[in-house]
Amino acid sequence: ESNGRKEKRWSLTDFDIGKPLGRGKFGNVYLARERESKYVVALKVLFKNQLQQSQVEHQLRREIEIQSHLRHPNILRLYGYFYDQTRVYLILEYAAKGELYKELQRCRVFSEKRAATYIASLARALMYCHEKHVIHRDIKPENLLIGSKGELKIADFGWSVHTSSRRRTLCGTLDYLPPEMVEGKEHDAGVDVWSLGILCFEFLFGTPPFEAKKHSDTYKRIARVDLKFPSKPVISAAAKDLICQLLVKDSSRRLPLQKVVNHPWIVNNADASGIYGHTS
Ligand SMILES: CC(=O)N[C@H]1CCN(c2c(Cl)cnc3[nH]c(-c4cn(C)nc4C)nc23)C1
């Protein structure tokens, strides 16, 4: 009974299913419209047997529990879920302008104004999560979407936890992981601050800072915080200063999110509304 409303029991017959939006590891995401309200959503379909095989049911339950309680303009809403014999369905907010990583591939790099606007939105969304003792732990371009007004939305809380953190099996790209996680140590909300620094670098230069051909080399570069700024494109000293204050090995010495939103580079470049220009 969240906020007094009777929780409705959804089923597949409540929706008209549209085109596939993306293919995830455990199933696909479809454009869908709720029949009565005509409300457009993204319906994420997950196959139970694949969830069982990968033992991620507990992670999915946590994703549902966490994301359904978060309400923030830069966090993709999870409106509800339901399941049938073989699948679990997540009813998610539809982000009309699609995936941020595709936009970054298209533009190759973002302007300082666009990058600062996105970083400011992310910092505010992460402050909100941390106030609720939630750390996302998987902030990367693939998990960011763009809403109809050009605003950024954090999606996929599959790796988020309440901050009594548990060790996680390392899979997928290491690029965004902080030293304490690649070294398998205890970690806290500082992991999201680190990934904000990685993202800021990638928005401005087009690649993450510690990229290397082999996992082992990426691992070493992260552990040593082997940060080198390319000579092209030329970026402001203020942008470099923020990145250097986020990519700090000691988690407790990373710039607190409250100070990120007040950093001169953000103040001088981010569009206060969180909306970058009027992307085509
Ligand atoms: C596994 C996974 O969740 N992947 C991504 C793809 C679809 N999905 C979306 C989710 Cl979960 C929500 N909204 C979306 N909007 C889009 C989209 C819009 N356009 C114009 N193009 C796309 C693509 N995709 C989504 C998240």
Side-chain angles (χ1 to χ4, degrees):
E1 294 274 320
S2 75
N3 52 47
R5 250 179 337 99
K6 182 99 197 77
E7 283 304 298
K8 172 170 171 59
R9 293 192 62 69
W10 295 104
S11 82
L12 204 47
T13 58
D14 291 317
F15 300 92
D16 294 320
I17 308 298
K19 66 173 180 174
L21 291 169
R23 306 195 178 294
K25 186 163 172 252
F26 300 104
N28 301 333
V29 183
Y30 297 89
L31 190 61
R33 189 177 58 189
E34 201 276 323
R35 287 227 167 101
E36 250 169 60
S37 63
K38 301 263 184 286
Y39 198 81
V40 171
V41 295
L43 198 63
K44 193 168 191 176
V45 182
L46 303 154
F47 288 93
K48 282 185 179 177
N49 59 11
Q50 283 179 14
L51 293 169
Q52 276 142 17
Q53 275 157 20
S54 307
Q55 289 142 22
V56 291
E57 301 102 307
H58 71 281
Q59 204 174 302
L60 176 63
R61 278 194 201 94
R62 201 164 50 202
E63 175 180 355
I64 292 170
E65 175 57 29
I66 288 174
Q67 203 166 349
S68 57
H69 288 91
L70 296 177
R71 300 275 194 282
H72 189 278
N74 300 111
I75 294 176
L76 198 77
R77 278 293 309 280
L78 170 63
Y79 298 119
Y81 70 99
F82 56 95
Y83 47 85
D84 60 22
Q85 201 62 24
T86 53
R87 290 164 294 224
V88 179
Y89 303 84
L90 304 186
I91 309 166
L92 292 160
E93 175 184 359
Y94 171 64
K97 290 205 166 143
E99 298 170 284
L100 187 94
Y101 86 92
K102 282 190 185 150
E103 181 65 11
L104 184 54
Q105 279 173 349
R106 194 177 64 79
C107 304
R108 214 181 54 70
V109 294
F110 289 151
S111 69
E112 294 205 29
K113 287 203 174 305
R114 184 168 194 179
T117 302
Y118 287 153
I119 293 299
S121 304
L122 269 168
R124 287 195 298 272
L126 290 172
M127 273 161 67
Y128 171 84
C129 289
H130 294 177
E131 278 154 24
K132 291 187 173 274
H133 309 295
V134 170
I135 48 179
H136 188 280
R137 297 199 310 173
D138 203 11
I139 299 291
K140 57 187 177 190
E142 290 76 3
N143 289 341
L144 302 175
L145 295 166
I146 306 174
S148 57
K149 296 191 292 296
E151 76 280 25
L152 183 137
K153 303 254 178 193
I154 301 179
D156 202 345
F157 278 73
W159 280 109
S160 59
V161 284
H162 279 104
T163 42
S164 51
S165 66
R166 190 190 316 281
R167 300 275 286 272
R168 76 174 199 166
T169 50
L170 290 187
C171 59
T173 173
L174 289 175
D175 282 313
Y176 299 85
L177 296 183
E180 61 272 24
M181 285 191 87
V182 296
E183 291 163 352
K185 290 180 186 153
E186 272 307 294
H187 52 270
D188 58 14
V191 305
D192 288 338
V193 177
W194 172 275
S195 48
L196 201 56
I198 301 289
L199 261 181
C200 191
F201 184 102
E202 182 166 4
F203 286 163
L204 294 170
F205 293 105
T207 57
F210 306 118
E211 204 174 46
K213 285 191 182 28
K214 291 186 298 183
H215 249 195
S216 53
D217 293 339
T218 304
Y219 175 110
K220 278 183 212 137
R221 294 197 62 201
I222 291 170
R224 290 182 191 138
V225 192
D226 172 24
L227 178 63
K228 297 182 196 110
F229 290 109
S231 51
K232 290 268 177 293
V234 174
I235 68 157
S236 63
K240 288 179 187 166
D241 176 76
L242 176 59
I243 292 169
C244 290
Q245 294 203 60
L246 296 172
L247 299 182
V248 174
K249 179 144 180 128
D250 178 348
S251 166
S252 64
R253 294 186 49 251
R254 289 171 200 157
L255 197 64
L257 291 169
Q258 181 53 54
K259 290 198 167 32
V260 171
V261 295
N262 294 323
H263 186 279
W265 183 66
I266 296 288
V267 171
N268 297 329
N269 290 282
D271 184 308
S273 66
I275 308 245
Y276 167 74
H278 294 281
T279 40
S280 53

